[in-house]
């Protein structure tokens, strides 16, 4: 009792202590999950405007639903689509608000009138077939007075969306309308395209020095990126190394299924031998025991599995072949029947005429028929020359270059009269038939038999035992590699390490793995540290991944940067070595010292600085225009190598009084890209927080 009394006396302090402990626990969990504050409910923010995750995910679901009616779209693709829409809406909406842009009720009606649903709907048209505004307003009034106010809410949202879209388009039209091209700019473009330079040059290409002779360090790449930070901006990225244990069937799985198929061959365990199944029961037997349903069609030899064509095609009635492995399936086939005249090879010469289907010919029908009869006589007198006659005379572009030949023609594939001649006449027959396309001189070259097979087929799949074994291997590797060298442990375990670089938070796909959003989220999780390892199960197998690097610099990841910047820096170093070889004061001296030749480039313009057989070299071409006639340049480091040039002649652009054509071209080009450039400029200055990696 004394203890209870003391507890009562100190109950206030006890409650405070418990409350503080609980608060500390919750606070720690909140901080750990990164969800403290309003960000926990936001997919991100744009210039301080939050994008609520609940509303955002509703829109993602709507996009997915709409996509199902057309092309397939994954959740991640839908999320990225909605994200771009939201960012654009906030940024452009902010600009619109700054300038006070808007439209009135009458303008909204004009926007809605432009919608084909209203402009072409008889409900809103007058007797003259024109849009009747009074009918439209009556329609809106009926919705407003409808007891079911859901329709009115939907309509108001539609109006809001229509207004927003119209104002945005008005904003972009204003941006586009602000594009102006001066006469000076038109004149400059004319001169850029039409002023020509002729020059001689000597070049030593970067390719003359092997890449492996030049080393470029990561520090050099990073320094170059920082110096050109605007050019190499990037989102945060991650890189991983991983192993993939594919859920492939083992040799034992293949053998087990093969053994099962031998039961169909020999019979056993209540299953009759395949060869003994009555013909009228074959279809039911196959459908019961095969993953591929019974196919009653006749198959030409060419359509049988290539590896087993001869064996399958030459079976006798009731004979069984197999088991055989075909395209990942264990199969057993029995010949049910054989059918002659199931395919044919024929050649033809089409003589079309004016008025025939798809014809561009000007000959009359009588002329076409006369020519067909003439060619028929030639073909019959020399059947071996049919291909040459077809190549020279046929109006069929699909077969003309093949001597008029069509192989493996199926019954009913060709138009009726053509089909009847081919399948109702023996091999070697030559004749003339008329179709909607014209007159055809036809030669029947071959007839083919086809076979009908009853085939039991089952895909060779990894068994539960095999999958369990792969899971065990992946789990053991996951434990073994923690804190150790990933590649060395993988090598000891005889696993192949694969890299995946430049993974972005919005990505869904990982190279060599396909759609793996779970792995992407893991790499961006705040709790995932460099060097952390985790096992994932995917539809194709088990993945054990290690977070190799985090790139939060705002620049390209080193893996990606080395591919592009590495080339630039390597060529800079090559250029220094090449310059040492190119000694002399004249082109001839340079050619002699470097082992090159003096070449000529003629009629090159600044607008298209292409040196024939070399490529785009704007720095070299620009230098040519700055040199006096007969003068030589210093050594120039170009795109493909080091150059020295000697000016021969610069021809001025033809004099023009009017540059309107060039002004129009330049204005059109600038206006067409103004919308995207304006938006990109706004976006680059915006503060965008992106939390998609959590979803």
């Amino acid at each position: 009792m004394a203890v209870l009394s003391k507890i009562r006396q100190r109950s206030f302090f006890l409650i405070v202590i418990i409350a503080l402990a609980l608060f500390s626990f919750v606070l720690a969990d909140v901080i750990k999950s990164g969800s403290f504050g309003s960000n926990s409910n936001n997919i991100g923010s744009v210039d301080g405007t939050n994008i609520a995750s609940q509303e955002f995910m509703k829109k993602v679901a709507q996009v997915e639903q709409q996509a199902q009616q057309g092309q397939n779209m994954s959740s991640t693709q839908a999320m990225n689509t909605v994200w771009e829409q939201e960012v654009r809406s906030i940024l452009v909406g902010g600009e619109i608000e700054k300038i006070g842009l808007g439209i009135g009720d009458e303008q909204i009606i004009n926007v809605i009138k432009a919608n084909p649903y209203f402009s072409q709907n008889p409900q809103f048209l007058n007797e003259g077939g024109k849009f009747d505004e009074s009918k439209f307003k009556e329609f809106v009034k009926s919705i407003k007075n409808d007891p079911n106010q859901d329709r009115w809410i939907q309509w108001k949202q539609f109006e809001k969306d229509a207004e927003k879209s119209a104002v945005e388009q008005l904003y972009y039209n204003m941006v586009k309308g602000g594009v102006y091209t001066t006469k000076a700019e038109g004149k400059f473009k004319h001169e850029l395209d039409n002023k020509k330079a002729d020059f001689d040059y000597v070049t030593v290409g970067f390719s003359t020095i092997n890449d492996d002779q030049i080393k470029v360090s990561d520090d050099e790449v990073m320094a170059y990126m920082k110096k050109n930070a605007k050019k190499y901006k990037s989102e945060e990225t991650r890189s991983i190394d991983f192993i993939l244990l594919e859920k492939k069937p083992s040799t034992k799985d293949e053998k087990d299924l093969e053994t099962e198929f031998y039961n169909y061959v020999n019979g056993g365990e209540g299953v009759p031998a395949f060869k003994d199944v009555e013909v009228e029961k074959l279809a039911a037997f196959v459908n019961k025991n095969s993953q591929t349903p019974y196919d009653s069609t006749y198959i030409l030899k060419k359509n049988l599995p290539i590896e087993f064509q001869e064996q399958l095609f030459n079976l006798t009635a009731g004979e069984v072949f197999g088991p055989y492995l075909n395209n990942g399936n264990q199969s057993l086939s029995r010949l049910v029947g054989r059918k002659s005249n199931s395919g044919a090879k024929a050649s033809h010469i089409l003589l079309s005429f004016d008025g025939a289907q798809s014809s561009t010919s000007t000959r009359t029908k009588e002329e076409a028929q006369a020519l067909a009869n003439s060619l028929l006589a030639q073909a019959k007198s020399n059947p071996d020359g049919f291909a040459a006659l077809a190549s020279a005379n046929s109006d069929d572009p699909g077969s003309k270059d093949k001597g008029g030949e069509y192989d493996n023609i199926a019954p009913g594939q060709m138009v009726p009269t053509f089909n009847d001649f081919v399948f109702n006449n023996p091999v070697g027959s030559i004749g003339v038939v008329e179709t909607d396309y014209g007159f055809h001189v036809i030669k029947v070259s071959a007839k083919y038999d086809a076979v009908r097979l009853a085939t039991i087929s089952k895909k060779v799949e990894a068994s539960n035992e095999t999958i369990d074994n792969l899971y065990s291997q992946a789990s053991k590797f996951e434990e073994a590699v923690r804190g150790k060298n990933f590649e060395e442990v993988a090598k000891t375990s005889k696993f192949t390490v694969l890299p995946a670089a430049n993974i972005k938070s919005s990505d869904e796909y990982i190279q060599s793995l396909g759609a793996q959003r779970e792995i992407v989220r893991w790499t961006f999780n705040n709790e995932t540290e460099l060097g952390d390892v985790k096992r994932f199960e995917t539809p194709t197998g088990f993945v054990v991944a290690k977070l190799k690097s985090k790139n939060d610099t705002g620049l390209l990841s080193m893996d990606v940067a080395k591919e592009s910047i590495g080339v630039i820096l390597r060529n800079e170093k090559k250029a220094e070595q090449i310059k040492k070889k190119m000694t002399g004061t004249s082109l001839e001296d340079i050619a002699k010292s470097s082992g090159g030749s003096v070449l000529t480039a003629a009629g090159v313009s600044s607008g298209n600085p292409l040196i024939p057989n070399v490529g785009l070299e704007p720095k070299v071409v620009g230098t040519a225009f700055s040199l006096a006639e007969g003068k030589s340049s210093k050594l120039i480091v170009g795109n493909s190598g080091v150059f020295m040039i000697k000016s021969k002649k610069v021809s001025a652009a033809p004099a023009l009084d009017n540059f309107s054509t060039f002004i129009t071209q330049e204005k059109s080009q600038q206006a067409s890209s103004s919308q995207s450039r304006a938006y990109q400029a706004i976006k680059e200055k915006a503060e965008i927080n992106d939390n998609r990696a959590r979803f």
Side-chain angles (χ1 to χ4, degrees):
M1 292 294 291
V3 173
L4 287 173
S5 178
K6 287 183 179 180
I7 289 175
R8 289 192 190 99
Q9 293 171 10
R10 302 175 186 272
S11 61
F12 173 76
F13 298 104
L14 188 62
I15 291 168
V16 170
I17 290 168
I18 292 171
L20 286 172
L22 287 171
F23 179 74
S24 299
F25 176 78
V26 172
L27 181 62
D29 185 62
V30 167
I31 292 172
K32 184 177 179 182
S33 64
S35 58
F36 190 85
S38 61
N39 286 338
S40 61
N41 296 319
N42 298 325
I43 198 84
S45 65
V46 180
D47 282 341
T49 300
N50 292 326
I51 302 174
S53 58
Q54 187 174 359
E55 202 59 38
F56 181 87
M57 295 312 289
K58 281 183 184 178
K59 293 179 181 179
V60 170
Q62 289 172 356
V63 170
E64 282 188 90
Q65 188 175 9
Q66 291 166 2
Q68 288 173 3
Q69 301 168 8
Q71 61 183 25
N72 292 329
M73 180 180 285
S74 68
S75 296
T76 306
Q77 289 171 323
M79 184 185 295
N80 293 340
T81 298
V82 175
W83 171 260
E84 290 302 323
Q85 290 172 350
E86 291 295 296
V87 171
R88 181 180 288 270
S89 176
I90 293 170
L91 291 177
V92 175
E95 295 300 306
I96 289 170
E97 188 176 348
K98 285 178 188 176
I99 61 176
L101 193 62
I103 59 175
D105 292 341
E106 294 304 313
Q107 289 171 301
I108 293 174
I109 290 177
N110 289 333
V111 170
I112 294 174
K113 279 164 56 177
N115 188 312
Y117 175 80
F118 298 101
S119 63
Q120 299 174 16
N121 192 331
Q123 181 182 351
F124 306 107
L125 304 182
N126 59 25
E127 293 179 356
K130 301 293 184 181
F131 182 84
D132 191 325
E133 198 168 300
S134 61
K135 287 186 177 183
F136 171 75
K137 288 181 177 179
E138 192 63 35
F139 166 75
V140 175
K141 185 178 179 181
S142 69
I143 296 176
K144 185 176 182 179
N145 296 331
D146 192 331
N148 181 4
Q149 284 297 288
D150 289 345
R151 291 183 65 205
W152 178 243
I153 292 170
Q154 291 172 358
W155 176 259
K156 294 303 291 181
Q157 184 60 49
F158 170 75
E159 281 189 341
K160 185 178 178 181
D161 292 342
E163 180 183 3
K164 180 182 175 184
S165 177
V167 174
E168 285 182 358
Q169 191 56 53
L170 185 60
Y171 169 76
Y172 285 127
N173 287 341
M174 289 175 64
V175 171
K176 190 180 291 187
V179 175
Y180 182 77
T181 301
T182 64
K183 180 180 178 181
E185 288 173 312
K187 181 180 179 182
F188 179 72
K189 180 170 175 56
H190 164 62
E191 292 183 350
L192 208 62
D193 292 345
N194 294 287
K195 189 177 181 180
K196 306 291 184 180
D198 298 348
F199 57 90
D200 290 333
Y201 67 94
V202 175
T203 181
V204 177
F206 296 134
S207 60
T208 58
I209 300 176
N210 292 331
D211 286 351
D212 55 14
Q213 293 179 252
I214 307 296
K215 303 299 179 186
V216 175
S217 69
D218 290 357
D219 289 341
E220 289 175 307
V221 173
M222 181 55 71
Y224 187 90
M225 269 202 295
K226 288 180 177 178
K227 187 178 178 181
N228 302 275
K230 190 174 181 179
K231 185 177 179 181
Y232 296 104
K233 283 176 65 176
S234 172
E235 303 172 38
E236 294 179 3
T237 60
R238 302 289 185 264
S239 295
I240 62 172
D241 282 338
F242 66 91
I243 65 160
L244 170 62
L245 302 182
E246 292 186 82
K247 294 177 182 175
K248 289 183 177 179
S250 65
T251 303
K252 183 177 182 299
D253 294 333
E254 293 179 0
K255 289 293 182 184
D256 287 347
L257 189 57
E258 188 178 5
T259 300
E260 180 185 331
F261 267 67
Y262 274 113
N263 287 332
Y264 298 125
V265 175
N266 303 315
E269 299 182 5
V271 178
F274 195 29
K275 64 182 177 60
D276 296 331
V277 177
E278 297 175 26
V279 173
E280 59 271 17
K281 296 180 179 179
L282 266 177
F285 185 84
V286 169
N287 290 335
K288 180 181 178 182
N289 295 283
S290 175
Q291 293 175 343
T292 305
Y294 179 76
D295 185 358
S296 62
T297 60
Y298 283 86
I299 305 170
L300 295 174
K301 184 177 180 180
K302 80 175 186 76
N303 294 326
L304 294 171
I306 294 175
E307 190 177 352
F308 307 105
Q309 273 183 359
E310 294 299 328
Q311 298 95 317
L312 292 169
F313 190 76
N314 294 317
L315 289 172
T316 57
E319 187 180 0
V320 172
F321 173 73
Y324 60 96
L325 199 59
N326 173 43
N327 198 26
N329 291 277
Q330 195 67 253
S331 302
L332 184 70
S333 296
R334 170 178 159 179
L335 184 71
V336 181
R338 186 179 299 275
K339 185 179 180 182
S340 60
N341 213 23
S342 293
K345 177 165 71 172
S347 299
H348 84 129
I349 305 169
L350 171 63
L351 288 315
S352 59
F353 51 83
D354 184 24
Q357 188 170 328
S358 303
S359 173
T360 57
S361 175
T362 56
R363 67 171 71 96
T364 64
K365 183 175 182 179
E366 292 72 22
E367 289 171 338
Q369 187 172 18
L371 181 55
N373 290 331
S374 172
L375 293 173
L376 173 65
Q378 295 179 56
K380 284 187 172 181
S381 65
N382 180 22
D384 293 338
F386 194 95
L389 285 176
S391 297
N393 297 281
S394 182
D395 294 325
D396 176 16
S399 66
K400 182 183 179 76
D401 294 338
K402 298 181 290 186
E405 184 180 288
Y406 282 107
D407 199 1
N408 295 304
I409 303 169
Q413 180 181 338
M414 299 298 191
V415 290
T417 51
F418 193 111
N419 178 85
D420 293 345
F421 184 88
V422 171
F423 287 100
N424 295 338
N425 288 286
V427 173
S429 299
I430 303 177
V432 172
V433 300
E434 182 184 354
T435 72
D436 291 340
Y437 296 92
F439 292 93
H440 305 256
V441 183
I442 303 173
K443 174 187 174 185
V444 182
S445 305
K447 296 287 186 74
Y448 303 126
D449 290 352
V451 293
R452 188 167 76 182
L453 299 170
T455 299
I456 302 170
S457 179
K458 291 184 180 180
K459 187 173 181 62
V460 184
E461 296 180 310
S463 64
N464 289 335
E465 180 184 349
T466 297
I467 293 173
D468 288 345
N469 182 46
L470 291 170
Y471 173 82
S472 177
Q473 290 182 59
S475 299
K476 288 177 181 177
F477 178 77
E478 180 187 18
E479 290 302 318
V481 82
R482 291 188 192 279
K484 296 182 181 177
N485 186 291
F486 195 86
E487 288 193 2
E488 288 180 4
V489 178
K491 187 175 180 180
T492 302
S493 303
K494 297 183 179 178
F495 296 146
T496 301
V497 177
L498 299 170
N502 203 40
I503 301 169
K504 298 182 179 66
S505 63
S506 58
D507 283 349
E508 176 181 14
Y509 292 89
I510 292 179
Q511 58 207 59
S512 305
L513 287 178
Q516 295 298 334
R517 183 63 186 165
E518 185 183 358
I519 297 178
V520 173
R521 280 200 298 264
W522 172 73
T523 66
F524 282 90
N525 193 307
N526 292 334
E527 297 178 17
T528 306
E529 301 290 344
L530 280 178
D532 281 2
V533 175
K534 187 173 180 181
R535 183 193 68 250
F536 300 88
E537 183 173 2
T538 73
T540 58
F542 296 96
V543 174
V544 181
K546 172 190 174 183
L547 183 57
K548 183 179 180 181
S549 66
K550 291 184 177 183
N551 174 31
D552 300 327
T553 62
L555 300 172
L556 291 178
S557 68
M558 186 56 64
D559 292 325
V560 175
K562 283 163 75 172
E563 292 180 13
S564 55
I565 297 174
V567 173
I568 296 171
L569 297 178
R570 197 175 295 114
N571 285 346
E572 285 181 358
K573 293 185 177 185
K574 287 182 179 182
E576 294 307 312
Q577 293 188 18
I578 291 171
K579 285 179 181 178
K580 293 175 182 177
K581 297 180 186 177
M582 299 176 74
T583 57
T585 56
S586 67
L587 290 188
E588 290 72 20
D589 291 340
I590 296 290
K592 187 176 180 180
S593 64
S594 64
S597 303
V598 178
L599 303 169
T600 299
V604 182
S605 70
S606 295
N608 183 28
L610 182 71
I611 300 177
N613 302 316
V614 174
L616 286 171
E617 291 290 353
K619 193 182 293 186
V620 177
V621 174
T623 303
F625 281 101
S626 67
L627 288 174
E629 188 175 317
K631 294 293 183 180
S632 297
S633 70
K634 295 179 180 179
L635 294 178
I636 309 163
V637 179
N639 291 336
S640 60
V642 181
F643 294 75
M644 176 182 269
I645 67 172
K646 181 180 180 180
S647 175
K648 295 179 73 175
K649 182 178 66 172
V650 173
S651 304
L656 290 179
D657 295 327
N658 190 321
F659 300 98
S660 58
T661 301
F662 295 95
I663 292 172
T664 301
Q665 288 176 0
E666 187 67 16
K667 183 178 180 180
S668 175
Q669 185 178 344
Q670 295 298 327
S672 64
S673 63
S674 61
Q675 177 175 324
S676 61
R677 287 188 290 124
Y679 174 67
Q680 198 58 39
I682 299 168
K683 190 175 180 181
E684 285 177 2
K685 291 184 177 181
E687 184 179 339
I688 300 175
N689 296 314
D690 185 354
N691 299 326
R692 278 178 292 169
R694 289 170 30 207
F695 293 82

